[in-house]
Amino acid sequence: MTKKVPTNCRFCGYQCGLIAHVDNNNVTKVEPDPTRFPYDTRVQNRCPRWRVIPQVLDHPKRINYPLKRKGSRGSGQWEKITWEQALDEIAAKLQALKDKYGPETLATCIGGPHAIYWPLHRFMNLFGSPNNVGVGQICWNPGILINTLTFGWPVVNELNPETTNCALVWGTNPAQSDNSLFWHSLLQLAKAGKPLIVVDPRCSQTARQATLWLPVRPGTDAFLALGLIHVIIQEKLYDSSFVNRWCYGFEQLKKHVKPYTPGYVAGITGIPAEDIVKAAQLYAGNSPATLYTGRGIDQLGYNTIPTHQAFAILRAITGNVDVPGASYLTEMPDFIPEIDLEMSEHTVASFRKKQLGQDFLSLQTYQGYAKLRQYTMKHDKRLPMRYLTSAHPNLVWKAMITGQPYPIKALIVMATNPLLTQADTGLVYQALKSLDLLVVLELFETPTAMLADYILPSAGVLERPLMETDAGTANVAYGGKQAVTPYYQRRQDYFFWRELGLRFGQQDYWPWETMEEALDDCLKPTGLTWQEFCETGLYYRPHRYAKYETAGENNRPLGFATESGKVELYSNLLDHLGYPPLPQPKQPPPATEEFPLRLITGARIQPYYASSYRQVTELRALHPEPLAEISPTTAQKYGLEEGSWIQVVTKKGKGRFKLKFRSMRDNVVSIEYGWWFPEMKNREPELGGLWLSNANNLTSADFAACEPLIGTWNYNGIPCRIEKAVE
Ligand SMILES: Nc1nc2c(c(=O)[nH]1)N[C@H]1C(S)=C(S)[C@@H](COP(=O)(O)OP(=O)(O)OC[C@H]3O[C@@H](n4cnc5c(=O)[nH]c(N)nc54)[C@H](O)[C@@H]3O)O[C@H]1N2
Ligand SMILES: Nc1nc2c(c(=O)[nH]1)N[C@H]1C(S)=C(S)[C@@H](COP(=O)(O)OP(=O)(O)OC[C@H]3O[C@@H](n4cnc5c(=O)[nH]c(N)nc54)[C@H](O)[C@@H]3O)O[C@H]1N2
Ligand code: SF4
Ligand SMILES: [Mo]
């Protein structure tokens, strides 16, 4: 008999509510669930992915059993083994490596928000290694950290077509990047005739809706933002009462932005001076105004930080902080916060001094986090440590290859495909080939998994419980239960970490046999059980605004969670760390004869998520080939025709892409990322077509060139050239 089970999609962070039709533990059909968060027809109607869930659940290329490598690494020969054997062997190998080299010889690698990550961090903290690698340096951390420096705690920028009077959308394209609700609200805002300003070198779908599109020269955004601040101060468009009462360092700021006149900024950014003035007037003159930013900014290397500093200042001086329709400061969760689940503060962290790069990076390190606690996060606030202290990938890959400053010999990869999504594929490849032990927890045999010693079959969509908590930055949780017991021998990632933990004497710290038991405990402070939570799939409290005005100690206003209690336009902590306390961008290097163009990698596209879903026939048919975009004028200059194959070359490497014209800044090239070809051979040398059209063959995260606070590298604004591809 068919049961209808309420559950959730997890093909992106929304986790839309679904009803699964389940027959004898088989999902035969899924449909949107109109009763549970975050059901919204506007989201699911646009989304091509949830419809293919039954196909993905039993896709012929899914990993269904633990696999152990036979033959040489990358030879594509596997032996099916039991979980018991896999776990025992992995634990024994890890123990031997730990005895020989110390616990820091184990690294882990994670990616975007695909799974619940705290069990991995709990294991690593108890095992004693600081070497978890992720993508935080170029996704999220810059914004989280700079807003925390400025306001004491992260800010969420909101758009409500009723209350928001202007949107400044900067380096993000919600039309493609799964942000359907936000996109829909933007369309409503534009339709209502309210100003929408979009800053993007490409005339994206979002830019097409704009009142004013600013096709900035890649990587010069901080100059543009400083130009806006200059105009806002010069023309006295700022919110003087908020500035006087709540901002620290306005006089220094005023002096600092003097040189950033529209004329000067126009010369660097390529945006006409009159448009700079117009953007400043629109943004400052239409409060509440939201300033919404994305990966276009987080991936600019050195200039990412001053750009975020300038954004925080823009929000503050226009009074758009903790105001409905503009932004709100998030609050600590009522449930057990991630920082306690991951156990970062409970362990004897002798391993912290083993952190690679701590002498050079001043914020994204353990001592950086300690400073952040000292200067910000007042009022009992605590951000998770896991991604704010994660290791710098470039140093970890190099330690694998060279054994310096100490050998990293083992890597466990969970829910990421670093050969496609980490910078410098050649380096990552060499690193993976140097390991004694590579374990990959996966749904599919990705190029990364092809190089593993063990591939472990993970439970995926509809096979595991979900509880998303905005990475521990907010008082919100959403998710739901699994629809089916995992097919075949697949297991939840939680099972792996707990079983491995038990084999290392961690039993006292894994009291919950299942993730559901753990989530039940986690929710206890809210008074909800896991079962009750699953009925609505949501725990949240309505947003409160102007919280800094509420009564704190001695009935005085609470203020901001910074040391000064104010919004720090001039950052005392950055000053203390020896970093410019006000935004000080650098001009990108000039074009050269060898590399006359600028490359953007990774602008999001439907129906894919990073390197995922290329093997799903229905989705592949929607977008079969990797594309590169340039303006028709740039194409003409190089005698290139739309639809032809071109080769894009950087100092680091090259890749083949099919040419598509787009209205965009001249002399800029944009290539898609995540491209491999699951239909090709799953072994060396092809590795699923890894070397053909993979954007990260062209990128680098060389530590010496990364910015010095967080370690951000460039995925955008990279010097490049294009040529006709030889057939
Ligand atoms: N050049 C360039 N590189 C980039 C970016 C860019 O813009 N340009 N963007 C960066 C950003 S912001 C991000 S977040 C990353 C994203 O990069 P990744 O996080 O590596 O994303 P995917 O390539 O989708 O890989 C996710 C893998 O996890 C598997 N998976 C899904 N769910 C589960 C699960 O529950 N358990 C397990 N064990 N596996 C699961 C999927 O099968 C898939 O192979 O890429 C980064 N890399
Ligand atoms: N379909 C789909 N959705 C996704 C993902 C996916 O892989 N596929 N990935 C998810 C992940 S991990 C993330 S982090 C989010 C990212 O979501 P977004 O931040 O919306 O990312 P993009 O859509 O790549 O938009 C970035 C925009 O920045 C522009 N840009 C590039 N360089 C510059 C620059 O120098 N200055 C400015 N101002 N703009 C620049 C690009 O042209 C692009 O339009 O999306 C998530 N959603
Ligand atoms: S992939 Fe689509 S259906 Fe699934 S959670 Fe994301 S928006 Fe919702
Ligand atoms: Mo991301």
Side-chain angles (χ1 to χ4, degrees), residues 3 14 53 73 103 105 154 251 277 337 352 371 395 402 469 475 483-484 486 488 563 589 607 622 649 700:
K3 281 188 298 179
Y14 271 116
I53 284 178
R73 195 181 285 289
T105 202
E251 285 311 311
V277 174
R352 289 182 185 173
K371 288 274 184 235
L395 296 179
T402 64
T469 59
N475 190 12
V484 287
Y488 309 100
E563 210 194 18
L622 300 174
V649 189
S700 159

Side-chain angles (χ1 to χ4, degrees), residues 170-363:
W170 207 314
T172 176
N173 181 21
Q176 291 291 309
S177 59
D178 285 340
N179 212 339
S180 310
L181 268 182
F182 185 79
W183 170 237
H184 196 83
S185 303
L186 261 188
L187 290 178
Q188 273 179 275
L189 180 115
K191 219 167 146 192
K194 295 181 180 178
L196 165 62
I197 309 152
V198 176
V199 188
D200 195 314
R202 299 183 314 133
C203 189
S204 62
Q205 265 163 287
T206 309
R208 266 183 236 142
Q209 298 296 325
T211 323
L212 184 62
W213 166 46
L214 305 178
V216 67
R217 201 168 272 152
T220 62
D221 300 83
F223 291 92
L224 184 57
L226 283 162
L228 262 56
I229 297 172
H230 174 101
V231 175
I232 290 169
I233 294 182
Q234 193 72 25
E235 299 192 4
K236 298 204 169 22
L237 301 172
Y238 55 92
D239 179 340
S240 56
S241 75
F242 185 82
V243 167
N244 292 340
R245 181 125 195 259
W246 289 113
C247 293
Y248 171 87
F250 187 68
E251 285 311 311
Q252 288 104 312
L253 173 71
K254 216 166 151 177
K255 201 163 140 223
H256 182 76
V257 298
K258 266 233 160 79
Y260 293 89
T261 59
Y264 169 70
V265 168
I268 296 170
T269 60
I271 302 297
E274 58 273 22
D275 283 352
I276 298 170
V277 174
K278 192 169 168 201
Q281 289 169 342
L282 285 175
Y283 175 68
N286 289 285
S287 291
T290 195
L291 167 46
Y292 204 86
T293 85
R295 289 310 89 75
I297 300 307
D298 287 6
Q299 307 182 337
L300 296 178
Y302 185 87
N303 277 349
T304 288
I305 302 303
T307 315
H308 275 292
Q309 284 175 277
F311 288 167
I313 292 170
L314 274 170
R315 292 184 186 107
I317 62 172
T318 53
N320 281 305
V321 180
D322 226 15
V323 169
S327 73
Y328 58 92
L329 290 159
T330 57
E331 298 187 65
M332 272 300 276
D334 294 335
F335 42 90
I336 296 179
E338 266 203 37
I339 183 150
D340 294 338
L341 295 169
E342 69 189 33
M343 294 192 68
S344 294
E345 292 186 313
H346 300 65
T347 44
V348 180
S350 51
F351 60 82
R352 289 182 185 173
K353 55 182 182 300
K354 294 280 184 184
Q355 185 169 35
L356 301 175
Q358 61 186 321
D359 305 338
F360 306 100
L361 288 184
S362 40
L363 207 48

Side-chain angles (χ1 to χ4, degrees), residues 38-102:
Y39 174 78
D40 195 304
T41 40
R42 294 170 301 182
V43 175
Q44 283 173 325
N45 285 349
R46 288 187 75 227
C47 176
R49 288 190 216 134
W50 61 271
R51 299 164 220 266
V52 299
I53 284 178
Q55 287 89 313
V56 172
L57 260 166
D58 207 8
H59 193 280
K61 286 192 183 259
R62 276 289 288 267
I63 307 283
N64 294 326
Y65 303 93
L67 299 177
K68 178 179 178 179
R69 171 166 70 83
K70 285 199 298 196
S72 60
R73 195 181 285 289
S75 61
Q77 294 163 282
W78 304 99
E79 175 192 354
K80 262 189 219 170
I81 58 171
T82 63
W83 270 97
E84 216 38 39
Q85 184 188 343
L87 283 157
D88 287 346
E89 288 185 15
I90 291 166
K93 286 181 186 171
L94 270 182
Q95 185 65 55
L97 291 170
K98 185 180 186 185
D99 292 345
K100 192 163 172 196
Y101 301 109

Side-chain angles (χ1 to χ4, degrees), residues 111-113 135 138-140 295 298-299 604 609 673:
V135 289
I138 47 86
C139 180
W140 242 48
R295 289 310 89 75
D298 287 6
Q299 307 182 337
R604 271 44 180 173
Y609 192 110
Y673 95 116

